[in-house]
Amino acid sequence: MLKQIINGRILTPEGWLEGGSVIIDGNKIKAVSNSDLHIVDAEIIDAKGCYVVPGGIEMHVHGGGGRDFMEGSEEAFRVAIKAHMKHGTTAIFPTLSSSTVPMIEAACETCEKLMAEENSPVLGLHLEGPYFNPKQAGAQIPEWIKPPVAEEYEPLLDKYPCIKRWDEAPELPGSAEFIKSCRKHGVVAAIGHTRATYEDVVAGHDAGMSHATHFYNAMPVVYKEHEFKVPGTVESIYALSDMSVEVIADGIHVPPVMLRVVYQIKGVEKTALITDSLACAASDEGVAFDPRV
Ligand SMILES: [Zn+2]
């Protein structure tokens, strides 16, 4: 049976739509219509003027419902994915924080299994690390952070097509080779947990980096050396207009004024909103995979 959501402000790629409707067939969004004429036999849902965001694609998310993707198990994946699906996510790229190779392998095996299921909401795996700048570790587990190791990443990229994105700090030795290998395997290389200078960002971009991980977080902004201003990683990414960014748009990780600046400079087409949420999201348990959190 069809469901039709009416009387909401619907977010579309072209902006807000008023007086339209969202039509759902089973567990799929069938259409976003500019008409709110009732469809015969459809169940009508009155949004009462609320926002309707048809189809959130979560591309940076560590877990939810009390479970973390770093656990690697099918059960952990299913619980976390379900928690996000219940809150408006329609497709998801599970994220692994800096992990050991056996942990990455376990998550890849699980991810590929889930992706093979019919109508799977899982579109691929996102690896956030471990090739990061230790000075910008943030919430990453510091013992697991290191420069790129070809003997590790090459076999992983060869074996697991589920890997769709890999975040790295381009100032590290061996970066260009890592980024090129990602691109060769069709994997998005993103800059993150970094102290990259403008030159480092350009070198990473030249090698194929195209995206910035939780922009503004775990990367420096402009600073002063004596009388001279030095562009931070943030300004360097602004300067490269074809680079896309993602922001943790909770108004805290990136305050509203800075969100507006991101929107004005990068625009809708180059900006993604992410949750970067942990196991405690959509859960009352308050647990995290990393006991320091
Ligand atoms: Zn993250």
Side-chain angles (χ1 to χ4, degrees):
M1 184 184 176
L2 293 180
K3 289 193 174 96
Q4 186 181 17
I5 304 175
I6 58 158
N7 197 20
R9 276 191 92 200
I10 304 166
L11 184 65
T12 76
E14 284 76 40
W16 292 103
L17 175 66
E18 315 263 358
S21 62
V22 176
I23 298 138
I24 298 155
D25 186 4
N27 65 354
K28 290 237 166 198
I29 297 167
K30 199 174 175 67
V32 175
S33 165
N34 59 7
S35 163
D36 60 1
L37 279 178
H38 291 194
I39 295 171
V40 180
D41 292 338
E43 179 192 337
I44 302 294
I45 299 167
D46 185 347
K48 297 183 175 138
C50 289
Y51 295 146
V52 181
V53 183
I57 300 169
E58 178 61 90
M59 54 185 270
H60 189 151
V61 51
H62 297 269
R67 306 301 292 268
D68 193 298
F69 296 119
M70 278 168 93
E71 295 176 57
S73 71
E74 197 178 318
E75 196 210 337
F77 267 62
R78 288 196 192 281
V79 171
I81 290 163
K82 194 172 171 196
H84 285 274
M85 300 288 285
K86 276 174 120 175
H87 290 269
T89 297
T90 50
I92 191 164
F93 292 84
T95 299
L96 234 55
S97 280
S98 294
S99 300
T100 64
V101 171
M103 287 168 74
I104 296 173
E105 287 170 336
C108 285
E109 296 286 345
T110 299
C111 194
E112 303 226 318
K113 186 172 177 201
L114 297 192
M115 283 170 77
E117 292 175 359
E118 200 185 345
N119 285 329
S120 177
V122 185
L123 301 185
L125 195 70
H126 163 215
L127 297 177
E128 188 181 5
Y131 309 134
F132 286 147
N133 188 326
K135 291 190 183 117
Q136 293 288 160
Q140 306 283 315
I141 293 175
E143 304 88 78
W144 291 342
I145 288 179
K146 57 188 161 186
V149 181
E151 295 72 30
E152 287 178 1
Y153 66 73
E154 284 291 355
L156 287 167
L157 289 168
D158 283 339
K159 186 168 178 197
Y160 296 112
C162 68
I163 300 171
K164 300 294 184 202
R165 165 176 161 196
W166 206 329
D167 304 351
E168 194 252 1
E171 68 272 32
L172 298 176
S175 277
E177 293 74 19
F178 170 77
I179 296 163
K180 282 178 186 156
S181 183
C182 284
R183 295 306 303 130
K184 198 179 83 195
H185 289 84
V187 173
V188 171
I191 178 168
H193 293 270
T194 178
R195 290 211 174 160
T197 62
Y198 177 68
E199 287 71 25
D200 296 327
V201 174
V202 168
H205 179 257
D206 286 349
M209 257 177 177
S210 59
H211 184 71
T213 303
H214 45 52
F215 193 48
Y216 274 107
N217 295 116
M219 61 179 68
V221 293
V222 61
Y223 56 98
K224 260 179 103 173
E225 257 170 25
H226 310 294
E227 289 77 44
F228 303 104
K229 275 76 157 184
V230 182
T233 310
V234 164
E235 290 75 21
S236 305
I237 291 165
Y238 275 134
L240 297 170
S241 57
D242 63 335
M243 278 194 85
S244 57
V245 301
E246 62 184 28
V247 278
I248 309 172
D250 58 2
I252 298 165
H253 286 80
V254 185
V257 171
M258 282 148 65
L259 281 175
R260 202 184 309 152
V261 174
V262 173
Y263 168 71
Q264 285 170 356
I265 297 179
K266 286 295 181 184
V268 171
E269 293 294 327
K270 294 285 177 207
T271 307
L273 311 184
I274 57 161
T275 65
D276 200 359
S277 60
L278 304 179
C280 48
S283 164
D284 295 324
E285 289 184 41
V287 294
F289 183 81
D290 182 348
R292 300 170 306 154
V293 176

